[in-house]
Amino acid sequence: MCVRRESNGFQKSLMPIRNDFYYVSGKTGFALEEPLSELPAYFDPWVAILKDADDLLKRHKLRAKVDKLPVLDHWNLNGYKQLRLGRVILCLLTQAYAWQDGDGGIPEFLPECLSIPFHGLSERTGWPPIFTHTDMIANYYKIDPNGPLELSNLRLLYTLVGGRNFHWFFLVSLQVEIVGGTNILPVTFLKRKPFIEIKKFTFTFSNFSWRLSSGLVVLK
């Protein structure tokens, strides 16, 4: 516990910042570090449709496939990383189901095979049953497991459609988190030590801006 004396003479207690509690990484920021690439075989019915989503959407057959799915028990997902990957998969399936026919064919209800587990995982994680930024930045893997965390070495675990735009929509957000990840620890240090050397701290963020700009040159 840190204690700081305020200008009014009172002391204010500052709880230590626990990066591990919030799953914040010094390497990847708020992006999930080393996400899982697979769920237990029990959830293969979800994955099978998602892997074929591009073709099913083009033929407007995805909803029919989803409607035949059983209601899988989300309690068979164990551990934080399984919960995160389960949400990624359900987020994408839900998006595909809702938008299969564009603006003119949005269904009024989701089938129970999506809504029940999606709601359950949302309750367990504390996040709303929608596609969030947090879900976006847990959907990746490194082409070379020993290579750098850079755009050229990152790919999406799961997609809905092929093409450059869909991939960059996810990967650019991920790159911002990864580049910013190296600044998480300096920021938490600043919270503990208000009189940190400003020049050093400013240099850290200047370096962050340069690395972010350099990383995004790949998009041009």
Side-chain angles (χ1 to χ4, degrees):
M1 180 76 72
C2 302
V3 178
R4 183 177 69 203
R5 185 172 295 279
E6 301 293 308
S7 58
N8 57 13
F10 291 99
Q11 289 186 338
K12 181 178 181 180
S13 297
L14 303 177
M15 291 296 293
I17 298 173
R18 290 180 51 202
N19 294 334
D20 60 325
F21 180 81
Y22 295 101
Y23 295 93
V24 180
S25 166
K27 295 180 180 179
T28 59
F30 290 95
L32 184 62
E33 186 175 348
E34 298 181 357
L36 297 180
S37 60
E38 296 181 346
L39 291 179
Y42 173 80
F43 295 97
D44 282 353
W46 292 352
V47 176
I49 292 180
L50 192 54
K51 286 184 175 180
D52 201 25
D54 190 12
D55 178 63
L56 290 172
L57 286 170
K58 287 176 181 176
R59 296 188 293 115
H60 298 267
K61 299 293 185 181
L62 185 136
R63 280 186 196 159
K65 283 280 189 179
V66 170
D67 286 336
K68 296 177 182 178
L69 285 174
V71 179
L72 300 182
D73 187 356
H74 64 87
W75 288 104
N76 285 315
L77 292 170
N78 298 299
Y80 183 71
K81 289 189 175 182
Q82 284 193 11
L83 295 180
R84 293 292 299 273
L85 183 54
R87 267 193 61 100
V88 167
I89 291 171
L90 285 173
C91 283
L92 289 171
L93 284 176
T94 300
Q95 291 289 316
Y97 190 93
W99 296 102
Q100 172 185 281
D101 298 325
D103 292 340
I106 302 173
E108 293 186 13
F109 304 98
L110 291 175
E112 291 184 350
C113 59
L114 291 181
S115 60
I116 290 177
F118 198 8
H119 179 266
L121 285 184
S122 299
E123 290 286 301
R124 292 173 68 184
T125 58
W127 301 323
I130 57 174
F131 207 164
T132 68
H133 178 74
T134 304
D135 299 302
M136 287 177 58
I137 55 180
N139 181 28
Y140 75 95
Y141 69 95
K142 293 201 295 184
I143 301 170
D144 176 3
N146 298 316
L149 280 163
E150 297 176 355
L151 277 174
S152 59
N153 193 40
L154 298 173
R155 291 293 183 272
L156 297 183
L157 285 168
Y158 297 103
T159 68
L160 292 180
V161 294
R164 181 185 178 94
N165 291 342
F166 187 89
H167 285 262
W168 287 134
F169 182 72
F170 283 80
L171 291 177
V172 170
S173 297
L174 175 63
Q175 180 71 9
V176 171
E177 292 291 346
I178 289 172
V179 174
T182 56
N183 295 283
I184 295 296
L185 294 180
V187 169
T188 58
F189 181 72
L190 179 63
K191 291 281 288 184
R192 294 188 179 95
K193 295 187 178 296
F195 302 107
I196 188 173
E197 186 178 349
I198 298 300
K199 289 184 179 179
K200 182 177 180 181
F201 188 71
T202 302
F203 172 78
T204 299
F205 275 91
S206 296
N207 185 48
F208 162 72
S209 299
W210 178 83
R211 287 181 61 210
L212 180 59
S213 299
S214 300
L216 297 183
V217 164
V218 157
L219 295 178
K220 296 182 179 180

